[in-house]
Amino acid sequence: MPFDAGTTLMSDVTAAVKSAGLTLRDRYTLHARGVSLSEVVEEIHANDDAVLDVLREPLLRARRGSQWAEDELAGGALPPGEWWVVDPAEGNINHVHGMPDWAVTATLVRDNQPVLTVVHLPLTGDTYTAVAGGGAHLNDQPLKVSAKTDLGAALVGTGQAKPGEDKDTFRRIGESVTAMLVNGLVVRVSVPATMQLIHVAAGRMDAFWQFSDVRSGLVAGALLVLEAGGTVTDLAGDSWSTASRDFLAAAPGIHAATLNVLSPIA
């Protein structure tokens, strides 16, 4: 269903996310920070806290009556209504290790479906936006998914949603990578999910799947891919929502073939 964002909501959200991106960019270094696990975790939390300090209130103010999903690593359905699902440092582990694959994301979720999203990459200045029923854009230019129809020619990807997932999830990730190495062309295994999903939305990659329901890594990319003409389901082929336990976003021409490979593993 199309979402009426009004005349100012997208601009207000984009401004808030870009401002938060400046905070995260100022914290970025070209060298890794932290040696022990506790030091790395401390750096990650410091990034989150710094960005949330400048992001939370502007977003809640931009959409009166909206609520805030507190735990960015949580999954599953949200209560009815409108919720901000935000990752203040999507790819935080990359940021802390001096790598460039990170972003700030903010997505408005209505009744468990993403309806508006902004993904900002502070190092490049690129901003990806989408509104349900209004298309997906990169810096105001329309996005369109890949036209490929042959899985054997496809560049696909996956990754873990968070550290410390259960062994069965790790087993499925490994089996799926092997299966797609056999059936696809090239498989990327990396984090975070959003950084792969923007490539799917832009037609640079052809599919992304994940054996997880961590919603902060999926809602932004799900809407971008959908609005760029892609297909987004769970790994049983049913419509995806934040209540789904797993995820597949693909170009329409290879979605069925990808599902055939992955669904037995899921």
Side-chain angles (χ1 to χ4, degrees), residues 8 18 30 42 46 54 66-67 72 100 110 185 196 217-218 221 226 242 256:
T8 64
K18 286 184 175 181
L30 293 175
E42 183 178 353
V54 299
S66 61
Q67 301 176 77
E72 71 181 69
R110 172 188 279 180
L185 179 64
Q196 295 196 65
L218 298 175
L226 277 171
T242 58

Side-chain angles (χ1 to χ4, degrees), residues 32 63 67 82 95 117 135 162-163 181 195 211 236 252:
R63 189 68 172 176
Q67 301 176 77
E82 294 186 345
H95 185 286
T117 195
K162 59 183 178 180
L181 285 168
M195 298 302 287
F211 297 100

Side-chain angles (χ1 to χ4, degrees), residues 139-202:
N139 302 330
D140 298 323
Q141 296 300 309
L143 292 173
K144 187 173 179 60
V145 297
S146 164
K148 285 182 184 174
T149 58
D150 178 9
L151 181 58
L155 170 57
V156 300
T158 189
Q160 66 189 90
K162 59 183 178 180
E165 296 194 78
D166 63 87
K167 289 183 179 179
D168 192 50
T169 297
F170 291 148
R171 176 191 59 77
R172 287 196 297 267
I173 293 172
E175 289 183 6
S176 71
V177 169
T178 299
M180 292 302 290
L181 285 168
V182 171
N183 289 278
L185 179 64
V186 172
V187 181
R188 297 184 67 194
V189 182
S190 64
V191 294
T194 302
M195 298 302 287
Q196 295 196 65
L197 285 165
I198 60 176
H199 292 315
V200 177

Side-chain angles (χ1 to χ4, degrees), residues 15-33:
V17 172
K18 286 184 175 181
S19 177
L22 291 175
T23 298
L24 194 59
R25 190 181 68 187
D26 288 344
R27 298 181 58 82
Y28 180 63
T29 64
L30 293 175
H31 61 271
R33 308 193 303 279

